[in-house]
Amino acid sequence: MTGFALDSRLERDSLFIADGPLSQLRLIDDSRFPWLILVPRVNDAAELIDLDGSQQRLLLAEINLAAQALRKLGRCDKINIGALGNIVRQLHVHVLARVEGDVAWPGPVWGHGTATPYSTTARAARIHELKTRLMA
Amino acid sequence: MTGFALDSRLERDSLFIADGPLSQLRLIDDSRFPWLILVPRVNDAAELIDLDGSQQRLLLAEINLAAQALRKLGRCDKINIGALGNIVRQLHVHVLARVEGDVAWPGPVWGHGTATPYSTTARAARIHELKTRLMA
């Protein structure tokens, strides 16, 4: 874990929520969607297949927890999970809640329009809600 | 496994390659991208978290195999993995190879333009290549 470096773009676009066994869990600062990312604290990993089996199983467990927390947060018609990395190479997995009729529905959120950052109050509230749901 | 029903849209848009331990592996009939989907033979699963732990681990192993086969197929700058399901509810996981400068780069492939079906010859060749890579 020593010397793990978070990509500067991920750091700018998202907010720290918690450290899981493998990954940093972060909230994407875009109030249009309840949108989490998991960033394994493994330097130089770009692909899922760069992780070994035990790391992959930890990540899978973290994806499950993130999805369950999102489902408890409010209306969720579909969970979207994605590992793309075409722009930011550092391995990160998106886990987000979709609602029928949201601004990108039924298309993917990636590359759709411009992020709407949370207000300071809404951001703190969302992070608090998520921490509560993750521990429930 | 009895009575597994493949969604009609997935059946129309993709071609059978092989049955894995959990999932049907299929090639999306779009020659713009080397693009596989894994469809777990589990009725009524829409989300990854609808699978139990052992099913998830099988799916994870299949994702690894699919990604490795794509990497052996030719140039691959990035693997994209996604489970969206906003349009087709039946759980299916996309695993595809991206090349810098491909027609959708660096955006996601989902919802990007219109599929370019393979020619009959190219389709057979691609499926043969994939079967060879999967067994290598």
Side-chain angles (χ1 to χ4, degrees):
Chain A
M1 304 304 168
T2 315
F4 166 68
L6 181 67
D7 174 272
S8 60
R9 180 155 175 168
L10 295 181
E11 184 159 31
R12 190 192 67 199
D13 294 347
S14 65
L15 304 139
F16 178 81
I17 300 177
D19 266 318
L22 181 74
S23 308
Q24 207 170 89
L25 178 70
R26 303 180 64 91
L27 173 70
I28 294 279
D29 191 15
D30 185 348
S31 60
R32 299 175 303 164
F33 314 99
W35 184 348
L36 301 172
I37 55 169
L38 286 158
V39 190
R41 294 186 303 276
V42 177
N43 286 323
D44 301 321
E47 301 283 3
L48 180 67
I49 52 179
D50 293 336
L51 301 181
D52 67 27
S54 61
Q55 291 170 329
Q56 289 194 5
R57 285 188 291 278
L58 288 176
L59 179 58
L60 186 59
E62 292 171 334
I63 291 170
N64 278 269
L65 283 172
Q68 284 154 0
L70 288 172
R71 272 194 166 167
K72 291 178 201 155
L73 203 63
R75 184 174 159 191
C76 170
D77 296 326
K78 191 71 195 63
I79 297 285
N80 285 182
I81 300 173
L84 288 85
N86 305 334
I87 296 171
V88 171
R89 302 291 294 185
Q90 182 172 51
L91 177 61
H92 58 288
V93 178
H94 302 264
V95 185
L96 59 137
R98 302 297 303 271
V99 168
E100 284 178 32
D102 68 32
V103 293
W105 188 265
V109 298
W110 305 287
H112 183 90
T114 309
T116 305
Y118 290 96
S119 69
T120 307
T121 316
R123 184 183 298 128
R126 173 55 47 98
I127 290 174
H128 177 75
E129 285 174 327
L130 281 163
K131 284 185 174 171
T132 308
R133 269 33 165 219
L134 283 164
M135 289 185 287
Chain B
M1 305 305 169
T2 313
F4 167 68
L6 181 66
D7 174 272
S8 60
R9 179 153 176 170
L10 294 182
E11 185 159 31
R12 190 192 69 199
D13 294 346
S14 65
L15 305 140
F16 178 81
I17 300 177
D19 266 316
L22 180 75
S23 307
Q24 209 170 89
L25 178 70
R26 302 179 65 89
L27 174 70
I28 294 279
D29 190 15
D30 186 348
S31 60
R32 299 176 303 164
F33 314 98
W35 183 347
L36 301 171
I37 56 169
L38 286 160
V39 189
R41 294 185 305 276
V42 177
N43 287 324
D44 301 322
E47 301 284 3
L48 180 68
I49 52 178
D50 293 336
L51 301 181
D52 67 26
S54 62
Q55 291 170 330
Q56 288 194 5
R57 284 188 291 278
L58 288 175
L59 179 57
L60 186 59
E62 292 170 336
I63 291 169
N64 278 270
L65 283 172
Q68 282 153 1
L70 288 172
R71 272 193 167 169
K72 290 177 202 156
L73 204 62
R75 184 176 160 190
C76 170
D77 296 325
K78 192 71 195 64
I79 298 285
N80 286 181
I81 300 173
L84 288 86
N86 304 334
I87 296 171
V88 171
R89 301 292 291 186
Q90 182 171 51
L91 177 61
H92 58 288
V93 178
H94 303 263
V95 185
L96 60 136
R98 302 297 302 273
V99 169
E100 284 178 33
D102 68 33
V103 293
W105 188 266
V109 297
W110 305 287
H112 184 91
T114 309
T116 305
Y118 289 95
S119 70
T120 308
T121 317
R123 184 183 298 126
R126 173 55 47 100
I127 290 174
H128 177 75
E129 285 174 326
L130 281 163
K131 284 185 174 171
T132 308
R133 270 29 166 222
L134 283 163
M135 288 183 289

